[in-house]
Amino acid sequence: MQHRCSYAILAAALALSALHGHTAEMTIDPDGMAVVNGQRTFIIGLYENPSDDAALQDAVKSGVNLVYASPTGESLDRLHAAGAWAWLNTGYNIDFSEDRGAREARLTEAVRAHGDHPALLVWEVPDEALWNAWYMADVWRGNEEPKQLDAAIGALEDADLAARLRADLDRVLDFYRFGRFAEGEALADSIWTALGQAIPRPGFGRANAPERAAKLGEGMIEGYRALRTLDPAHPVWMNHAPRNTIEDLAFFNRGADIVGCDIYPVPESAMARHSDLANRTMGSVGAYTLRMQAAAPDKPVWMVLQGTGWGDFQTDRTDEERALLRRPRKDETRFMAYDAIVHGARGVLYWGSHYVEKDSEFWRELLEVIAELKSLQPVLAAPDAPAPPVAIGPTNGSLDRSVAIRSKAAPDGVWHIVVNEFERPLRVRVAAENAGDYRALETDTVLTAEGGEIVLQIPAYSVAVLRPAP
């Protein structure tokens, strides 16, 4: 059935046209902040494009300004009418390493069809492309193929052959355990041959993952250059997995104008090991924000944050395990957003909300955090100001991670955003160059600078947003 927008959304299109103009044009300021139609803008995004008009309106009203769109005029029209900008994913048409003529033609057609749509803000390349060049080989060679080989060997009537091939399969797994992938994969291929079956995925493995990744990266860089020539008005965004080396990330980042990664650290559990950093606390959000900047020091970072619980989509878990793999609480959602911001993120986007009921407490609290970010849009989009020195203590904690601060030169003065990344409450002293008062956003209390310092008591994994008091 053809989708029809609600009258409220359609009516909003008139106001939107006045706000956004006829075509959304985005540039990037030297500090990495997006400039949309001439206005510095902190990006607040949503991977879900809610099918329900009311849910979409709630998200946009709360502060979401960028939403994923399917590559149709109808999808873009609907987001434009709702008051949001959109992003479109190029798919692997951006990879010119294979079938270049057809892919370039499809990319050109996408720009011709949608490049001048007033909702379009950015293009996105395939999600986690670098990681998947390795990971899909991990899944096949390390998991799926051994299971298939085990089943095929088990079906043999020749017991001697079965015993020999099972011993070979054990050797394959031993090779993999020591990282001897070329030897293990060659032996796995020989087992298929001995079984009288064709090798299912010849030439696809972990042994040649570096070469396949390099080929993909080169192809995507070529496609990126072609896309920017076709459409200079809309930047290209690349989202990574929370993996890979800085060097490999930097190589792929040549094919984008904006970079970032997804990181979902709640709950801190062995069942949800999204990160491979030693720090798997919520503070890993800030750590990965810094890591993305290290891999693209001249480009803005947009971080993709947790908009669901691991138990919502890990359906192979027991009910008890899924209950433990809970959704973030509001304080955790708020912490993760500000942890990205204080470490330099110029946008945050939420993945996974399509799993979430729109009458749930989690959805309501997620929109409340987004609404807070929207209320601070003039602050978050403002240039950074020099951050004052911060002192901590006394405490008996090891403080392998502690407090991060970012100061913003907002229209009404310099704001300070202070984040406690440690697992205990901390007493924090922020140097105050000006003797004026500050007001804490969380408690609406006035803090007076005494002795050249503002003194804060910040709970574990919490945020203090300080604005200059009138």
Side-chain angles (χ1 to χ4, degrees):
M1 180 167 53
Q2 186 177 10
H3 175 82
R4 290 180 173 84
C5 298
S6 70
Y7 286 114
I9 286 186
L10 288 171
L14 296 175
L16 178 69
S17 294
L19 175 64
H20 287 179
H22 295 292
T23 301
E25 292 192 7
M26 177 179 158
T27 58
I28 300 170
D29 267 357
D31 66 352
M33 194 63 67
V35 180
V36 184
N37 297 332
Q39 183 166 348
R40 285 170 62 92
T41 305
F42 183 84
I43 295 299
I44 307 171
L46 194 66
Y47 269 71
E48 177 192 14
N49 187 341
S51 59
D52 179 68
D53 285 344
L56 176 60
Q57 286 181 306
D58 286 344
V60 175
K61 182 179 179 181
S62 296
V64 170
N65 53 27
L66 182 65
V67 179
Y68 166 77
S70 56
T72 66
E74 182 183 43
S75 179
L76 290 165
D77 289 345
R78 181 169 177 262
L79 290 178
H80 181 58
W85 295 303
W87 86 79
L88 291 174
N89 194 299
T90 66
Y92 281 92
N93 292 325
I94 199 77
D95 172 21
F96 284 6
S97 67
E98 296 181 0
D99 198 17
R100 174 169 181 155
R103 292 179 178 183
E104 188 168 13
R106 288 193 290 267
L107 199 63
T108 301
E109 174 58 23
V111 173
R112 186 203 64 78
H114 307 302
D116 62 352
H117 196 285
L120 180 62
L121 190 66
V122 293
W123 299 95
E124 184 196 16
V125 300
D127 191 62
E128 300 184 347
L130 167 59
W131 167 241
N132 281 323
W134 295 75
Y135 175 66
M136 299 313 295
D138 283 343
V139 171
W140 168 244
R141 289 293 193 176
N143 185 23
E144 294 177 0
E145 184 183 41
K147 289 180 180 178
Q148 291 183 22
L149 285 172
D150 182 68
I153 293 169
L156 288 173
E157 295 182 358
D158 185 333
D160 290 339
L161 177 61
R164 177 171 64 81
L165 294 184
R166 194 166 298 283
D168 284 347
L169 181 56
D170 289 340
R171 290 177 59 213
V172 167
L173 299 179
D174 274 342
F175 280 133
Y176 291 167
R177 187 165 64 92
F178 285 94
R180 295 166 62 178
F181 298 126
E183 294 163 277
E185 289 163 9
L187 183 56
D189 289 348
S190 74
I191 297 175
W192 287 113
T193 301
L195 288 166
Q197 298 187 32
I199 299 169
R201 304 187 71 177
F204 182 78
R206 289 179 283 196
N208 66 358
E211 291 76 19
R212 289 187 293 102
K215 177 184 175 182
L216 173 63
E218 290 285 6
M220 290 177 64
I221 292 167
E222 287 186 46
Y224 158 77
R225 291 169 179 159
L227 178 56
R228 289 314 315 266
T229 299
L230 290 166
D231 183 5
H234 301 110
V236 175
W237 162 41
M238 180 181 294
N239 179 61
H240 293 285
R243 294 291 195 277
N244 300 107
T245 66
I246 295 292
E247 293 75 17
D248 285 350
L249 291 165
F251 172 69
F252 266 69
N253 288 343
R254 293 162 53 200
D257 304 294
I258 305 154
V259 303
C261 80
D262 45 65
I263 177 64
Y264 316 137
V266 175
E268 189 178 341
S269 166
M271 292 187 292
R273 293 185 60 180
H274 192 218
S275 163
D276 63 356
L277 290 183
N279 174 13
R280 294 198 178 97
T281 70
M282 288 190 292
S284 63
V285 172
Y288 273 110
T289 305
L290 293 175
R291 191 170 175 81
M292 292 301 107
Q293 291 174 88
D298 57 340
K299 296 178 180 180
V301 168
W302 293 355
M303 293 298 290
V304 178
L305 305 184
Q306 192 167 351
T308 188
W310 285 87
D312 289 325
F313 57 89
Q314 288 196 349
T315 55
D316 57 336
R317 299 284 187 181
T318 66
D319 290 344
E320 292 77 11
E321 288 174 331
R322 293 181 70 187
L324 292 173
L325 294 170
R326 61 177 178 81
R327 298 167 178 177
R329 301 186 307 268
K330 181 180 178 180
D331 62 298
E332 294 170 325
T333 297
R334 184 173 185 265
F335 170 86
M336 289 186 283
Y338 282 108
D339 199 39
I341 290 166
V342 297
H343 288 289
R346 301 314 194 190
V348 295
L349 300 96
Y350 289 92
W351 178 88
S353 61
H354 56 287
Y355 292 106
V356 174
E357 312 83 13
K358 296 305 179 279
D359 60 352
S360 65
E361 181 181 26
F362 175 81
W363 176 250
R364 175 180 58 78
E365 292 181 343
L366 175 62
L367 294 188
E368 287 174 356
V369 171
I370 290 172
E372 179 179 325
L373 299 180
K374 176 187 178 183
S375 73
L376 296 180
Q377 182 69 239
V379 177
L380 301 180
D384 292 336
V390 172
I392 301 165
T395 179
N396 64 346
S398 300
L399 291 182
D400 59 334
R401 59 197 182 278
S402 55
V403 170
I405 183 170
R406 183 156 298 258
S407 300
K408 305 294 288 188
D412 61 346
V414 176
W415 290 54
H416 303 300
I417 303 172
V418 188
V419 170
N420 177 11
E421 296 180 315
F422 197 55
E423 62 187 19
R424 297 185 183 186
L426 293 177
R427 186 173 186 269
V428 179
R429 304 193 309 276
V430 179
E433 295 181 2
N434 300 320
D437 294 336
Y438 277 81
R439 184 177 294 274
L441 183 68
E442 295 73 21
T443 59
D444 197 34
T445 56
V446 173
L447 302 170
T448 300
E450 297 180 359
E453 293 179 329
I454 303 166
V455 178
L456 307 170
Q457 291 288 154
I458 308 182
Y461 300 117
S462 292
V463 185
V465 180
L466 308 179
R467 67 170 297 174

